[in-house]
Amino acid sequence: MLHPVVLSGGSGSRLWPLSRQNQPKQFLSLIGDHSLFQETILRANALPNTGAPVTVCAEDHRFMVGEQLQGIGVANGAILLEPIARNTAPAIALAALHLVAGEPDATMLVLPADHLIEDVDAFRDAVARAAVLADQDWLVTFGIHPDYPETGYGYIDRGDALGEGGYKVSGFVEKPDLATAEGYLAAGTYAWNSGMFLFKAQRYLDELARLAPKILESARAAYAKANTDLDFIRLGKDEFAASPNDSIDYAVMEKTDRAAVVPVSCGWSDIGSWSSLWAVAERDDDGNRYEGDVISVDTTGSLVRASDRRMIATIGVEDLVIIDTPDATLVARKDRVQDVKTIVDKLKQAGRQEHLFHRKVYRPWGNYDSIDMGQRFQVKRIEVKPGGVLSLQKHHKRAEHWIVVSGVAEVTCDDKVFELRENESTYIPLGSVHRLRNRGTEPVELIEVQSGSYLGEDDIVRLEDVYGRS
């Protein structure tokens, strides 16, 4: 059986301001109705003889992963929580250890969560060819046929043919300059490095033991400390932190003598920038991609994405990227969007929050949107999904007023438990132990007005939480 392993890391910087650290691009619906993560899962799930997917993700994204899997009706094989980011080689080692514990001869298909593949049939054919090589103990990577001399990708040079399935890897090369990339394209033996792999889980562990033993040692120690929390598998933090921070390419693929590449042309993109999203998106006759409420005059070659709160109008512009969110707007030339990381760095240096969170923040129980704020007050719109329950908590520095606008909320305030319905309100005094719960089948929407000397999210003392948060 083939086991998809989806790597769902990422810092959310390349598609800022839409992507943020708490909601990186794999969880966004950029093309179509599903997120890139969901598309990756559905694509892998449609392959023949495939088991439930194993996802490796950051602890902060665990509920988002769980909800997005539920949203497409796919059972998870496991959700492994990386206690700290340690690159792809250790992440894949965790998944391999988990798989061989239940199936010693398991084969794993390793997929980044944030890639786009338009030709699913070509992808399926490439996986079938790679599986033949994996059965022969090759560590297989997928090389994307280059359409142009891209300088933002690494390349793979193929060597001798391995039957009809693929080729030996002659070498991996880093991101080239334009002249070098043009040479690769002319040579005809080079492919873009996709970051997708297929191999036997035990074979990968054997190569780690030989080529990067410290990574395997740390992964084994972390997995030995694993414990189950709801639908998630938590791993030993200190043990995993001791691992070298290496990619699978550096740790294994560049050093092993069993690296193989299967070439494929499948409409692949890593959606690594706003310009790459523009390139793969459907555009109008003037080369524009519009999303949301957009009115344009004499606009060409542009990507304009409006938030759901306001309209964007453009006049006489060309080759621009305009991305609007409720708390930040990006305007950039399309050939400069790779520099968006510079903006993120400036936000970090200034101690701001716009690179970390959206104004609308998702929680396992629902979401909240900070719609107004002053020196001693904050107003939030809160939505609690059916069955959702906030932690039993108290605040040292703020009081709260709750006004229900739809649904029926169950409120706990100290020793009282009561219901609030539409147009009813209550007051939560400073220091009171309180909780909000939705026992109904429809979402509960309410307005929360906070007042006090400090309104930060860290002024929460959780006394009890069904989601295991501290």
Side-chain angles (χ1 to χ4, degrees), residues 52-94:
V54 174
T55 304
V56 185
C57 70
E59 184 170 335
D60 289 346
H61 300 155
R62 65 192 187 279
F63 295 113
M64 206 171 299
V65 166
E67 286 194 5
Q68 293 213 349
L69 286 169
Q70 290 176 11
I72 55 176
V74 174
N76 75 79
I79 301 175
L80 304 175
L81 305 182
E82 284 185 291
I84 188 171
R86 276 295 178 265
N87 219 312
T88 54
I92 297 169
L94 292 175

Side-chain angles (χ1 to χ4, degrees), residues 136-155:
Q136 301 168 14
D137 283 338
W138 291 95
L139 303 175
V140 185
T141 185
F142 295 85
I144 306 300
H145 178 75
D147 299 319
Y148 55 92
E150 172 63 55
T151 60
Y153 299 146
Y155 284 71

